[in-house]
Amino acid sequence: MQEFTSPSIQKLFAQLNQREIPNADELRKWILEWSDLASVLAEESARRYVAMTCDTKDQQAAAAYEFFIANIEPIILEETEKLQKKLIAHKNLSDLENEYGNWFKAVRTDLELFREENIPLETQINLEIQKYQKITGAMSVQYKGETKTMQQMSPYLQSQSREERKEAWKLLTERRLQDAEALDTAFDKLFSLRIQAAKNTGHKNYLDYIFKAKHRFDYTPQDCKNFHESIEKIILPLQKEILRQRAKKMGMAKLRPWDLSCDPLGRPALKPFKTGAELISKCGNLFSRLNPQWKEWYGILAKENLLDVESRLGKAPGGYQISFDKARVPFIFMNAAGTNQDVYTLLHECGHAFHQFAMAEQELFAYRDIPSEFAEVASMSMELLGAEDLSDFYSKEDFQRSRIDALQDIISLFPWVAIIDAFQHELYARPSHTAKDRKEIWLSLQERFDSGVDWTGLEKARSYLWQKQLHLFEVPFYYVEYGIAQLGALQIYANAKKDPNLAVQNLIKAEKLGSSKPLPELFSTAGIKFDFSPKTIEPLAGIIFDELTAVES
C-alpha cells in the first residue's frame, strides 16, 4: 500500500466486501487478507502516533496523525463493521470455530455495540486526547538556571537534602496546578463524549458499555469492587507499615509527599546510568544472561532503533510499547532521566515487546492484540525476573537498595490501582458530576486508602493528584488490569523461585497464544491462576513482604 488516502482505503475494503466466498477454505483466505489489511493500517497509525509523541512540537507529525484520525480511522471503523457482518453471516462460520472462536465472540460483541453515529465521536475523542497530550507534553520548569522536563526533575525528588526535595516537589506541583483547569476541561470533554457513545448503544451507563467494549468476559464490575475491598483490608496495612518504618528511619513523626522517593538513610540517589545509550547497553547485558530468547529479541530492538528512551523537551510524558503490526516488531517509548525507576520501566516495556515477538507467528491480526490483564503479566513478570540481576547497574549494596524500592513499589501499586479504578467507577456512576464533585470523590478515596502521609497545607495539590494519571484521560478503565496482572506476575515469580527455566518457558508459551484463548486459559498456560480474590492476594502479598523484610535485615 503506497498511499493512505480515503479513496484508496475504501477501495481495498470494498474489494474484500464484494468478494464471493463459496466455502470454508475461501473464508479462511478472506479472513487472513482482511487481517493483513488491518495490520498495514494499524502500523501506519502506530508510526504516526510514535512520531507525534516523540516530538509534540513537530507540527507536521501532529498534522499527519490528525489526518489519519480524522480521515482514515472513521473509514476503518465503518468498513470493518461491514466486514464483521459479512463474516458472522457466512454459512461456513462454524467450520472455523476451533481456529477463530475467541475472535468470533469478540466480533459479535463489537457488532452489538457498533453505531454509525459513534464514528465521529471516536474521531473527536482521539483528537481531544491529542490536545491533552499537548498540554502535558509542554510542561516544563526552570530549575537552577535550566529548563527541565517533569521527568528530568525526578532525581531531585531523591535528593539527600530535604529542602531540595521540597523545593523540587513544590515546583513540579505548582507547574501541574497551572494547567489544572485546562486538564479539568479536557477531562470533561472526553467524559461527555464517552458517555454519549455509551448512550448511543442503548446502555444506561458507561460502565456496562466499556466492560463489553473491552471484552471483559471473565469478570464483572462487582469483582473489581471486591478487589478494591481486598486491597484495602490486606495490602493497605502493609503499605502503612512500610511508610511507618520509613518515617522511623528518617527520624520523622510523619512523612510529607517529598519524603517518599529519597533514600530513608540519607544516602545519595541511585544512579544506575547517565545516558540512554548506557541504559540500553546495560539492559542488553542483563537479557544476555537471563534467557537466550530474550537476548535475541532485545538485540533486534537495539539494532533496529526500536527504542526511544531519553526524556527531552517536547516529548510526550510517560512510557509505552506499541506494535508495528505489518513488520511484526515492537517499539518502546519512555522518558529516562537516570533514575532507578527508569531501569524498571525499560524492563517493563521490554516485557511487552517480548510478548509481541512471541506472538508474531499468530496469523490473525486480532490475535496479536492481547487483553491487558495478561499483557501486563508479561511486563510485570519481566520487572520481577529482570531485577534479580542488576549487576551492570549496581554494586551489591546499591542493588539491595534497588531491590527494596522495587518490592515496596509492588506493595504500593495495589492501593493506587484500587484508588484509580474506584475513582472511575464513582465518576461514571455520576454522569452529571461537576469538577467540584470530582474533587470530592477523589479526596474521599484518598482518605479511604490513606497511608499516613501528611498533606497538611497541601490540600489543593492532593485534590488534583488524579490528573497525573494519563490513563484516566486516554484509556478509561484501563488500570485495574495492573492489579490483576501483578498477581499473575507474582505467581510467575514464585514459580521461578522453584524452577526458573520452566517458569520462563511457560510464560513464553502462553505469550505465543496472543489472544487466541480466553484469559483463564492464558493464565493457566503460563502456570498461574486467573484469580484476584483474597485467597490469592494474601499469600502473594505475604511473599513480597517477607522478602522485603529479609532484604532489609
Side-chain angles (χ1 to χ4, degrees):
M1 186 181 297
Q2 298 299 315
E3 58 178 344
F4 290 85
T5 63
S6 300
S8 67
I9 302 302
Q10 285 175 321
K11 181 178 179 181
L12 290 167
F13 274 108
Q15 288 172 351
L16 283 170
N17 196 22
Q18 293 164 11
R19 184 176 310 168
E20 294 293 328
I21 310 173
N23 52 50
D25 287 340
E26 289 301 315
L27 179 60
R28 184 183 291 105
K29 291 178 184 177
W30 179 82
I31 286 171
L32 295 178
E33 285 187 42
W34 174 13
S35 178
D36 194 47
L37 173 59
S39 298
V40 171
L41 293 170
E43 177 163 331
E44 183 65 19
S45 175
R47 288 189 182 276
R48 295 186 188 206
Y49 179 80
V50 166
M52 185 264 297
T53 54
C54 284
D55 186 0
T56 59
K57 296 181 294 182
D58 185 336
Q59 294 183 359
Q60 188 174 352
Y65 180 70
E66 288 171 13
F67 176 85
F68 197 92
I69 293 300
N71 297 280
I72 305 302
E73 284 285 354
I75 294 171
I76 295 172
L77 289 171
E78 186 174 357
E79 296 298 328
T80 294
E81 189 257 353
K82 294 176 184 176
L83 297 186
Q84 287 176 329
K85 285 183 175 179
K86 184 180 180 76
L87 170 71
I88 296 303
H90 198 278
K91 63 179 181 178
N92 296 110
L93 189 73
S94 59
D95 295 338
L96 303 183
E97 194 71 36
N98 288 337
E99 292 176 73
Y100 302 130
N102 212 44
W103 176 49
F104 293 163
K105 184 177 182 180
V107 169
R108 290 186 180 98
T109 302
D110 291 343
L111 283 173
E112 178 190 341
L113 295 178
F114 180 84
R115 298 294 186 277
E116 193 169 343
E117 57 267 38
N118 278 350
I119 294 176
L121 287 182
E122 289 296 330
T123 300
Q124 201 172 344
I125 286 169
N126 285 323
L127 292 174
E128 290 296 335
I129 288 173
Q130 188 187 19
K131 291 178 185 177
Y132 155 76
Q133 290 171 334
K134 286 181 179 178
I135 295 172
T136 55
M139 287 183 183
S140 64
V141 297
Q142 291 296 316
Y143 191 64
K144 296 186 176 181
E146 295 182 55
T147 301
K148 301 277 189 183
T149 68
M150 308 299 268
Q151 291 77 19
Q152 287 170 340
M153 289 296 292
S154 298
Y156 299 104
L157 297 174
Q158 302 174 32
S159 172
Q160 294 169 278
S161 165
R162 196 181 194 203
E163 283 305 308
E164 185 173 61
R165 296 197 307 269
K166 181 179 178 180
E167 181 185 14
W169 186 91
K170 287 200 168 185
L171 190 62
L172 286 169
T173 301
E174 287 165 6
R175 177 62 189 88
R176 290 193 183 95
L177 289 175
Q178 286 178 26
D179 284 323
E181 187 175 338
L183 290 173
D184 259 335
T185 300
F187 186 86
D188 285 335
K189 288 179 180 177
L190 286 163
F191 186 87
S192 63
L193 289 168
R194 286 164 174 149
I195 292 292
Q196 186 58 52
K199 284 182 178 177
N200 288 347
T201 64
H203 284 81
K204 293 181 180 179
N205 61 71
Y206 185 77
L207 184 61
D208 290 342
Y209 165 79
I210 196 64
F211 263 66
K212 281 186 181 178
K214 284 181 171 291
H215 302 156
R216 286 181 176 173
F217 303 129
D218 301 295
Y219 63 102
T220 68
Q222 186 58 50
D223 290 329
C224 293
K225 292 181 179 180
N226 294 343
F227 191 24
H228 307 159
E229 292 177 6
S230 297
I231 290 171
E232 183 180 7
K233 292 176 183 176
I234 299 168
I235 306 289
L236 186 59
L238 301 181
Q239 185 189 29
K240 287 181 176 179
E241 176 60 21
I242 287 169
L243 293 182
R244 190 187 70 79
Q245 290 292 338
R246 166 178 275 269
K248 183 178 179 182
K249 289 176 184 177
M250 296 177 75
M252 298 175 183
K254 286 249 181 176
L255 296 171
R256 300 285 271 168
W258 47 83
D259 297 320
L260 304 178
S261 300
C262 63
D263 182 76
L265 299 179
R267 293 167 293 190
L270 292 169
K271 296 181 179 179
F273 62 93
K274 293 181 180 178
T275 67
E278 185 183 349
L279 171 62
I280 290 170
S281 175
K282 286 182 174 181
C283 267
N285 295 337
L286 182 155
F287 289 122
S288 294
R289 291 189 295 270
L290 278 180
N291 182 275
Q293 182 62 82
W294 290 344
K295 174 186 176 182
E296 178 187 339
W297 286 335
Y298 188 80
I300 295 171
L301 291 175
K303 182 180 178 182
E304 301 298 328
N305 295 317
L306 296 166
L307 298 156
D308 184 345
V309 301
E310 286 188 304
S311 180
R312 58 182 176 270
L313 290 174
K315 188 176 181 181
Y320 62 78
Q321 179 277 150
I322 198 167
S323 176
F324 296 151
D325 280 289
K326 180 59 179 174
R328 302 197 191 187
V329 295
F331 178 87
I332 289 175
F333 170 102
M334 58 180 284
N335 279 275
T339 68
N340 177 57
Q341 186 56 47
D342 292 331
V343 177
Y344 287 87
T345 297
L346 185 51
L347 288 173
H348 181 100
E349 300 304 342
C350 281
H352 284 309
F354 296 167
H355 198 167
Q356 292 289 341
F357 280 123
M359 63 181 177
E361 293 182 8
Q362 285 286 342
E363 285 188 306
L364 191 66
F365 167 69
Y367 282 169
R368 300 195 300 275
D369 182 16
I370 326 108
S372 305
E373 295 85 352
F374 191 69
E376 298 299 342
V377 170
S379 58
M380 291 175 163
S381 295
M382 190 59 68
E383 288 185 61
L384 286 160
L385 299 176
E388 294 281 277
D389 178 8
L390 298 179
S391 57
D392 284 87
F393 294 97
Y394 296 123
S395 65
K396 185 176 180 181
E397 180 185 353
D398 284 349
F399 168 72
Q400 187 178 36
R401 291 175 57 192
S402 174
R403 191 80 181 123
I404 290 169
D405 285 349
L407 294 169
Q408 290 180 343
D409 284 347
I410 290 171
I411 296 294
S412 62
L413 169 72
F414 284 104
W416 186 250
V417 164
I419 290 171
I420 294 296
D421 194 52
F423 184 52
Q424 295 182 93
H425 279 258
E426 288 293 328
L427 293 183
Y428 285 95
R430 297 167 62 177
S432 300
H433 79 264
T434 64
K436 182 176 180 291
D437 296 331
R438 190 157 58 235
K439 188 183 298 185
E440 291 174 356
I441 293 167
W442 175 254
L443 287 173
S444 70
L445 288 166
Q446 288 283 291
E447 289 301 316
R448 176 183 171 188
F449 290 92
D450 181 59
S451 59
V453 177
D454 183 7
W455 286 86
T456 303
L458 306 170
E459 289 79 10
K460 183 177 181 181
R462 194 184 194 192
S463 70
Y464 282 107
L465 274 179
W466 65 272
Q467 290 186 343
K468 293 173 64 177
Q469 196 64 60
L470 64 84
H471 300 72
L472 295 171
F473 294 85
E474 297 186 16
V475 276
F477 285 93
Y478 183 168
Y479 214 74
V480 71
E481 294 96 330
Y482 286 115
I484 296 170
Q486 186 70 82
L487 294 176
L490 288 172
Q491 291 178 73
I492 286 175
Y493 177 66
N495 291 344
K497 289 291 186 183
K498 302 170 187 173
D499 189 334
N501 289 330
L502 181 60
V504 172
Q505 287 172 13
N506 285 339
L507 175 60
I508 293 176
K509 183 180 177 182
E511 289 174 346
K512 287 182 176 180
L513 293 173
S515 58
S516 64
K517 303 296 179 184
L519 272 173
E521 192 169 338
L522 294 179
F523 272 66
S524 64
T525 303
I528 58 180
K529 294 179 181 178
F530 179 70
D531 179 71
F532 43 105
S533 67
K535 68 179 181 181
T536 295
I537 299 171
E538 198 153 18
L540 291 172
I543 288 172
I544 293 302
F545 195 75
D546 290 347
E547 186 160 337
L548 178 60
T549 303
V551 174
E552 287 185 309
S553 62

